[in-house]
Amino acid sequence: DGPPGAPFDLVLANITIRTLLELHQPLAAHLRPGARAVLSGVLDERFGELVEVLLANGWRHQRTDHEQDWVALLMTRE
């Protein structure tokens, strides 16, 4: 079981990269196939590290948005 309402079509997470790296698998488990996740709170200098881990774990990278030193990723879960 998961949180009430799971599985979800969309998740928004503005948290630290450390937390995203720790929680990406449980997060994916609560998403419907093809669902989207907007993951932000990541410094530009480290976003490649996060994308690499997510891709290796079944996520698909859709888009990256930059604002100053910060990055937001749009990812989907297949």
Side-chain angles (χ1 to χ4, degrees):
D1 287 339
F8 300 103
D9 295 317
L10 175 67
V11 171
L12 305 173
N14 184 22
I15 51 182
T16 66
I17 188 172
R18 186 180 85 200
T19 303
L20 289 170
L21 290 169
E22 291 173 3
L23 296 181
H24 71 86
Q25 290 175 322
L27 179 65
H30 296 302
L31 291 172
R32 292 184 203 281
R36 295 178 178 190
V38 178
L39 309 175
S40 62
V42 179
L43 286 170
D44 183 59
E45 63 193 39
R46 294 198 60 200
F47 93 95
E49 173 186 349
L50 179 59
V51 171
E52 183 178 315
V53 169
L54 293 173
L55 292 176
N57 284 278
W59 292 84
R60 175 180 252 161
H61 182 227
Q62 300 295 320
R63 179 178 166 166
T64 302
D65 289 310
H66 299 263
E67 185 173 319
Q68 297 178 4
D69 293 338
W70 298 97
V71 172
L73 302 171
L74 174 59
M75 305 293 292
T76 55
R77 182 70 180 165
E78 300 303 322

